[in-house]
Structures are given as C-alpha cells and as structure tokens.
Amino acid sequence: MNMHATVDKFKNERSRIISLDKACTLSVWHGKICFWELLLIIGQLDGDPEFGINDYIDMMETRKVTRLTVQRFLKSRILVGDVLEIRGAKKSRKTLVLSQNVVNSLDTYFSELGR
C-alpha cells in the first residue's frame, strides 16, 4: 500500500475541511449533512419553477430532523441572503436559488476537491 498517497489524501481533505470551517458562508450549511444536501438540491435545481420549498424538503434523503427544523433553517438562510426566493410556477409556490456569494464559495470548494 502506498502510504504516502493515503497520507496526502488525509492531509488534503483536512485542509479542505479547515478552509470550509473558516468560510462562514458554507460552514453553516456543512454543520449537518442534511443541510449540506439541501444546499446541493437548491443548487442543482437552480430556481426551477416546478419545485417549491416543500419539494426540496421531500427530496432530502439524509434528513434526520423535523420539517419544521428544515423550514426554520431555510428561513434563517433566506434572512441572511444565502438563498433567494423567487416565484414558482404556481402563485402560492416559491422556489429558491443560491446567492452569488454562495455560488462563488461553492465554486472555490469544488475546485479544491479536484486537487
């Protein structure tokens, strides 16, 4: 086994996690795996008007918290500007997009994964 390659992987992952913790924008999302999944769902759907907030919650596979907890978390992220609400296909439905700040932070995060 090439221990040097393994050690480098651990070192790189640790550095990435430390940088994630220092980047406040993403660290809040990374606090629980279900919130990280939610961030990825919102980013993947990118404001698709066919999906509303409840659809995002229904899509979560790692959710170990109540719907109310997820709704409160989303509300807090909307208030700080991480997520923006836009009108969905139905008047009563709001869909979500990530703020440019979060998109930029994710671009940096994903570029570090390739190293």
Side-chain angles (χ1 to χ4, degrees), residues 45-102:
L45 295 176
D46 195 31
D48 185 329
E50 295 302 316
F51 293 90
I53 293 172
N54 286 317
D55 296 317
Y56 296 120
I57 296 171
D58 291 341
M59 293 173 73
M60 296 171 69
E61 294 184 28
T62 60
R63 183 169 62 90
K64 305 284 191 274
V65 296
T66 66
R67 292 182 78 81
L68 183 59
T69 299
V70 176
Q71 290 168 339
R72 286 179 178 161
F73 177 79
L74 267 176
K75 185 175 182 176
S76 73
R77 298 296 86 208
I78 291 167
L79 288 173
V80 298
D82 283 357
V83 177
L84 309 172
E85 289 180 303
I86 57 175
R87 183 167 275 167
K90 298 178 184 177
K91 283 186 178 182
S92 62
R93 179 182 289 170
K94 291 183 180 167
T95 192
L96 303 173
V97 293
L98 300 176
S99 71
Q100 191 59 50
N101 186 37
V102 172

Side-chain angles (χ1 to χ4, degrees), residues 26 29-30 32-40 106 109:
L26 295 182
W29 291 91
H30 205 265
K32 289 185 187 270
I33 193 71
C34 64
F35 295 152
W36 187 252
E37 180 189 15
L38 180 62
L39 172 73
L40 299 175
L106 283 168
Y109 174 81

Side-chain angles (χ1 to χ4, degrees), residues 14-24 27 109 112:
R14 183 169 176 253
S15 295
R16 194 174 57 77
I17 293 298
I18 290 169
S19 71
L20 179 64
D21 185 53
K22 291 178 181 175
C24 295
S27 65
Y109 174 81
E112 291 176 3

